[in-house]
Amino acid sequence: MSTPARRALCGAIVLDVDGTMVAAPSDRIADRLAEALLTVHARGWAIVVATSRSPRSIEKLGFPDGIQDLPMVIANGAALLELRTGNLSRHRLIEPRSLRLVLDVLDGADFDSVVCTIAREAEPVAAQDTWKVQGRDNVERDAWALKVVARARGRTAGSTIGMLAHQFGSSLSLSHTRGEIVEITAAGATKLDAVQALLGRHELDASRTVAFGDSMNDYEVLRWANRSFAVAPLEHGLEGAVNGVLPRAGGDSLASAIEREVEQMGDRCTDK
């Protein structure tokens, strides 16, 4: 019995969530944006969500049914989430010893807030096998971490990243988002690494990719994609990485930009 060919893909739309698809963490995807995603998906474009969110917070978005051909990139690339099943794959987690060292450094630097998304094993099978923990003392010693989020009172994200880079070198991936929040993942756990791995399975590359984001944890993907757009207010450092700026998150401005870019790039699809 022959295996059916996978759906022909013409290109990929890569989307951050918070500050891009939705304006606030409690928001759901607007009907106008859902309509645009369904339209371009029907034309053969893959929708790739690349977010810093933890696995269990994705379902609250109200993502349109039927368009998630590819897994979602979650926790800044620490894993991939199959939305329909809740299964996780391509794990890049911080191992227990390194996690304990990170938490010790943050504790010694008097950080105002430290939140970990953790699991009991290196390769958690499903989203329900992960959970968030606040504070160093609440993290079990044998826990693995998808992501650590830290914010220090009176310290910039740049200075925090510099301190951690000095301590840990290339053994961690470091990024930041609005509000001077630093996000820490394992080496190789970045949005770009995960997006490239996903699209490579379908022989898609930057030339057929349009990306949308709003903060520095989107910088590498925005710079890599053939076409990219940031959402206002433009975060410092993104100026040279994007082709344009959208006035607001979600809704009509993002939906219209997606439709316009797909129309301009055309439907040059190849069966994979």
Side-chain angles (χ1 to χ4, degrees):
M1 186 174 178
S2 62
T3 302
R6 282 183 284 178
R7 192 173 80 98
L9 294 179
C10 305
I13 303 295
V14 181
L15 295 153
D16 171 53
V17 174
D18 296 293
T20 303
M21 296 180 75
V22 297
S26 59
D27 288 351
R28 290 171 66 85
I29 294 172
D31 290 345
R32 174 70 179 93
L33 177 55
E35 177 187 345
L37 295 177
L38 288 166
T39 297
V40 300
H41 179 265
R43 294 183 62 171
W45 283 69
I47 310 300
V48 179
V49 174
T51 179
S52 64
R53 284 199 184 199
S54 60
R56 299 173 72 170
S57 65
I58 294 295
E59 60 188 26
K60 301 173 184 177
L61 285 172
F63 208 78
D65 291 334
I67 66 172
Q68 202 58 37
D69 295 332
L70 304 182
M72 292 182 171
V73 176
I74 53 99
N76 278 350
L80 302 178
L81 171 67
E82 186 69 47
L83 189 61
R84 286 178 290 235
T85 63
N87 291 340
L88 298 174
S89 62
R90 195 183 181 273
H91 308 85
R92 301 288 188 275
L93 274 64
I94 303 173
E95 52 90 18
R97 181 176 178 276
S98 295
L99 176 59
R100 183 57 50 181
L101 290 173
V102 169
L103 295 177
D104 286 345
V105 168
L106 295 177
D107 187 57
D110 193 27
F111 271 70
D112 182 42
S113 174
V114 177
V115 179
C116 302
T117 301
I118 63 173
R120 287 196 176 92
E121 54 189 343
E123 298 185 359
V125 174
Q128 66 185 16
D129 299 326
T130 68
W131 63 98
K132 285 187 178 181
V133 175
Q134 185 158 359
R136 169 184 177 274
D137 294 339
N138 295 318
V139 177
E140 298 172 4
R141 297 199 69 85
D142 60 348
W144 295 71
L146 283 82
K147 186 180 71 166
V148 178
V149 177
R151 176 167 52 194
R153 199 178 288 140
R155 183 191 290 270
T156 66
S159 67
T160 301
I161 287 175
M163 177 193 72
L164 292 170
H166 177 73
Q167 292 270 350
F168 296 100
S170 60
S171 64
L172 298 174
S173 295
L174 305 168
S175 63
H176 69 87
T177 186
R178 298 182 190 277
E180 303 299 338
I181 296 172
V182 173
E183 298 173 320
I184 306 163
T185 52
T190 69
K191 287 185 179 182
L192 180 58
D193 285 337
V195 167
Q196 288 177 325
L198 269 179
L199 298 186
R201 299 176 188 175
H202 295 266
E203 298 181 29
L204 291 174
D205 57 20
S207 67
R208 301 292 296 173
T209 301
V210 184
F212 299 86
D214 77 301
S215 65
M216 286 303 293
N217 65 16
D218 302 309
Y219 175 83
E220 291 182 333
V221 174
L222 294 173
R223 187 176 180 185
W224 171 79
N226 180 39
R227 298 276 294 170
S228 63
F229 298 84
V231 177
L234 190 65
E235 187 170 357
H236 177 68
L238 292 181
E239 302 89 345
V242 296
N243 298 103
V245 179
L246 305 182
R248 63 188 63 86
D252 188 65
S253 61
L254 177 57
S256 297
I258 291 171
E259 292 168 340
R260 181 183 66 248
E261 290 300 311
V262 167
E263 188 64 35
Q264 291 178 354
M265 293 183 74
D267 299 341
R268 293 190 284 108
C269 307
T270 304
D271 290 324
K272 303 298 180 191

